[in-house]
Amino acid sequence: MHLSGGQTRIYERAVSNSFLPQELLAALIEEVDAGDLVFKFYLSSLSILIWDWLLTLNLEIRLVWPNKLSLGKVLFFLTRYLPFVDILVGLVFTHTADAGTDSRECKIFYGWVIWLEVIGINLVQVVLILRTWALYGRNKWVLAGLLVLLLATVVFCGTTDQILVNSIVWAGPTFTGISGCVVRSADNLRGRLAGNYISVLALETIILLVLMFRAAKLKKVSPGSPLITIIYQDGLIFYFFVFVISIVNVVTVFTVPQAYCAVLILFQRAIHSVAASRILLNIRQVASKSHVCMKSNCSGPQCMAGMESSQAMTLPPLQFASCSQDSTLKIGTVDEVSEWFGDEHMEKEQ
């Protein structure tokens, strides 16, 4: 077994202070080594979040901040900023490898990491479901069906994760001579992690198919609608990235040593957050440009220029219609999902 200088010192200290067999101690050292790699991946995930935040902060300030609090605005902020909390907690958890953390504290930390991920990823599913529901004209059966699937996914992932957390045996400092959060054993870690990845991917696949079916019909009815186009494109782009990272996660779970199985958990969380935030900002931006078109009775590049020069304008409700206001679009002229960002109806503004 090859160990770095720091790991060798930990190993020697463990051997001198523990009655465990060397094979088991070697496995524990591998857990310490994996913790270093996980820590680096968590830093990379945090860097992705910060970089995307810097790139899109101007859009957030212009399109989200001026409006009153609403369901859509709360969902946006939770989707965008909760991952920072997830990853910071994860960094603390993986960086306690020599801080004297006991097993009870390790269990609390790990539980926080797991449950924040479950809540965060399923908040993204709520955003995707509401977007799909809006395209179907607030059809109650579409909403009910997707919410049932969401609830089943949350229950499955939550139950699986809680069983996993309860099954972990931590190698405490008094037992091995190694301080910090080091996993000694866990019950079916690979199967439980893979099951969670696959269940989330299955839900997102169903949402995508339902969304694409409706969007394809609307594109035929109104091929010039920029909003339908952006929803269609963003849906495919979002699914592509989520599909790739989910498959990579499943392959990783079954091909790498068990200590490295969770290395991409929060990376997937960051990708979900960035993609969902972009979806909401893109929808808002297209709807705002449509409003400029209607107000100025213009079209094409003139509308785009008008939007860029109207930084301080009061935005209308998020609209599912293009500049042409095609009446064949049977989904209304205002966003019917609790007025996404809290705008008053246009009639009230006038």
Side-chain angles (χ1 to χ4, degrees):
M1 178 181 63
H2 175 72
L3 298 175
S4 66
Q7 293 161 359
T8 299
R9 289 191 295 272
I10 295 174
Y11 181 78
E12 290 174 349
R13 186 180 63 190
V15 170
S16 64
N17 290 286
S18 177
F19 54 85
L20 293 178
Q22 290 194 7
E23 294 78 8
L24 180 54
L25 287 173
L28 294 175
I29 295 301
E30 186 176 54
E31 289 283 353
V32 175
D33 188 29
D36 292 338
L37 182 61
V38 170
F39 182 78
K40 293 173 183 177
F41 267 93
Y42 286 2
L43 283 178
S44 301
S45 302
L46 183 61
S47 300
I48 291 173
L49 289 176
I50 294 174
W51 179 245
D52 182 72
W53 178 77
L54 291 173
L55 289 177
T56 57
L57 180 59
N58 63 324
L59 289 176
E60 179 184 325
I61 293 173
R62 176 159 54 89
L63 300 174
V64 181
W65 287 12
N67 305 294
K68 71 179 184 180
L69 195 64
S70 69
L71 171 63
K73 194 170 183 177
V74 169
L75 282 174
F76 174 82
F77 284 127
L78 288 176
T79 300
R80 188 165 172 85
Y81 291 104
L82 191 57
F84 286 94
V85 178
D86 299 11
I87 293 178
L88 288 174
V89 172
L91 287 173
V92 171
F93 170 72
T94 57
H95 201 52
T96 56
D98 217 11
T101 307
D102 62 27
S103 299
R104 183 182 61 83
E105 292 171 326
C106 288
K107 182 175 181 179
I108 293 173
F109 267 129
Y110 195 74
W112 269 100
V113 172
I114 291 293
W115 277 103
L116 282 173
E117 187 204 8
V118 170
I119 293 170
I121 286 184
N122 284 288
L123 276 175
V124 173
Q125 311 311 320
V126 171
V127 171
L128 300 179
I129 287 172
L130 290 179
R131 178 190 59 168
T132 304
W133 180 49
L135 279 182
Y136 276 85
R138 300 181 71 187
N139 184 293
K140 62 181 181 180
W141 296 112
V142 170
L143 179 63
L146 293 177
L147 287 180
V148 167
L149 292 175
L150 174 63
L151 179 61
T153 303
V154 171
V155 171
F156 176 81
C157 292
T159 303
T160 300
D161 287 337
Q162 192 58 51
I163 293 174
L164 176 61
V165 170
N166 292 336
S167 73
I168 293 177
V169 177
W170 300 99
T174 58
F175 188 59
T176 65
I178 302 175
S179 60
C181 295
V182 180
V183 177
R184 182 187 176 199
S185 64
D187 181 25
N188 192 20
L189 176 63
R190 297 179 189 274
R192 297 189 194 286
L193 289 177
N196 283 357
Y197 295 141
I198 293 171
S199 65
V200 171
L201 181 61
L203 174 62
E204 289 169 341
T205 301
I206 293 172
I207 294 174
L208 175 76
L209 293 176
V210 174
L211 175 69
M212 292 297 103
F213 177 78
R214 180 63 171 171
K217 281 192 170 184
L218 294 175
K219 281 176 67 69
K220 292 179 181 179
V221 173
S222 183
S225 170
L227 187 55
I228 299 303
T229 299
I230 198 66
I231 289 176
Y232 192 88
Q233 292 176 349
D234 280 358
L236 291 175
I237 293 172
F238 174 88
Y239 184 78
F240 171 78
F241 282 106
V242 168
F243 178 80
V244 170
I245 189 61
S246 296
I247 295 300
V248 170
N249 262 321
V250 172
V251 172
T252 300
V253 165
F254 288 109
T255 57
V256 302
Q258 180 169 298
Y260 296 87
C261 284
V263 70
L264 293 175
I265 284 181
L266 290 185
F267 182 77
Q268 180 176 12
R269 177 77 176 91
I271 295 299
H272 269 86
S273 171
V274 168
S277 299
R278 291 275 184 150
I279 284 174
L280 291 176
L281 287 173
N282 287 344
I283 290 176
R284 188 59 174 158
Q285 189 172 31
V286 170
S288 301
K289 290 176 180 179
S290 296
H291 179 60
V292 171
C293 295
M294 291 184 293
K295 295 281 282 188
S296 59
N297 195 26
C298 66
S299 61
Q302 294 177 344
C303 292
M304 303 303 176
M307 176 60 192
E308 297 302 326
S309 63
S310 303
Q311 302 292 328
M313 64 178 291
T314 301
L315 299 177
L318 183 56
Q319 297 173 21
F320 280 88
S322 63
C323 299
S324 63
Q325 291 293 287
D326 190 342
S327 60
T328 58
L329 278 174
K330 307 296 186 181
I331 49 179
T333 57
V334 295
D335 176 17
E336 295 176 317
V337 187
S338 299
E339 298 176 322
W340 279 104
F341 294 100
D343 301 311
E344 297 292 340
H345 286 281
M346 195 179 307
E347 292 80 3
K348 296 179 181 179
E349 293 180 357
Q350 295 176 347

